[in-house]
Amino acid sequence: LIGPITCPVARRMVPRPVAADPLAPEEAEALLRGEDVAGLAPSDRVLVRHVLELGKLRAGALRIPLARVLRIPAAEPLGLARRRLEREGAVYAAVVDARGEVMGALDLTLPLRGACAADAMIRVPVLPEVAPAANGLGPLRDSGAPFLLLVDEYGQGSGIVPRVCGASSPIAT
């Protein structure tokens, strides 16, 4: 009996979530200018700028499924992990725990120190796969990580969005 009375009152008192505003053209251009994206064709740069301005492209649309991502067990000795990456021709890989959950990334472009992959990994930003892709650009840039980890509605890893699409693919063959 109380539910039908309190629901309309609660709806009026609690503000509705507001979607993030798309970037203004000059903000999108400044963001792209701040990113060092070698080999990005002018036409691709325009496309990316337009997507940033729209703010509607969902991160999940850019997802590489985790099943296709090169994964290194966290306990794997660092030397062995490095050789695996080099053998696969990859610059980075996902570091996973015993359950297969992504913990971070191993990135050969950074100095690697430690005894095992978990010691040398860097944390990766996490983004819901239904979030606008533009929401991940700042955290990805600020973290220095090679990819964003996408999670589904249950918080489980569902895939990655690499920093630079087409660069030394981390995709397992």
Side-chain angles (χ1 to χ4, degrees), residues 4 44 51 66 72 97 111 116 129 160 173:
D44 292 339
V51 168
L66 282 178
I72 303 285
D97 63 15
C116 63
E129 62 186 1
I160 68 165
T173 52

Side-chain angles (χ1 to χ4, degrees), residues 72-81 95-98 103 115-119 121:
I72 303 285
E76 187 167 306
L78 187 55
L80 183 59
V95 176
V96 296
D97 63 15
M103 300 170 50
C116 63
D119 295 338
M121 75 175 191

Side-chain angles (χ1 to χ4, degrees), residues 125-137:
V126 178
L127 187 69
E129 62 186 1
V130 296
N135 290 6
L137 290 177

Side-chain angles (χ1 to χ4, degrees), residues 38-164:
L40 187 63
S43 60
D44 292 339
R45 185 180 271 304
V46 169
L47 174 65
V48 170
R49 186 175 48 93
H50 286 304
V51 168
L52 291 173
E53 289 171 16
L54 292 172
K56 297 294 182 189
L57 180 67
R58 301 289 176 215
L62 305 173
R63 178 184 62 221
I64 295 173
L66 282 178
R68 294 183 51 215
V69 174
L70 181 60
R71 289 165 290 194
I72 303 285
E76 187 167 306
L78 187 55
L80 183 59
R82 182 190 307 260
R83 286 190 296 279
R84 252 182 87 195
L85 278 161
E86 290 168 351
R87 186 178 60 242
E88 294 288 334
V91 176
Y92 60 87
V95 176
V96 296
D97 63 15
R99 296 175 316 198
E101 294 294 322
V102 176
M103 300 170 50
L106 203 58
D107 187 346
L108 290 181
T109 65
L110 301 173
L112 300 178
R113 294 184 181 91
C116 63
D119 295 338
M121 75 175 191
I122 60 172
R123 297 221 177 266
V124 295
V126 178
L127 187 69
E129 62 186 1
V130 296
N135 290 6
L137 290 177
L140 185 60
R141 181 189 59 235
D142 296 343
S143 72
F147 61 82
L148 280 171
L149 175 64
L150 297 180
V151 294
D152 62 17
E153 62 271 17
Y154 303 107
Q156 299 296 311
S158 62
I160 68 165
V161 175
R163 175 181 283 280
V164 179

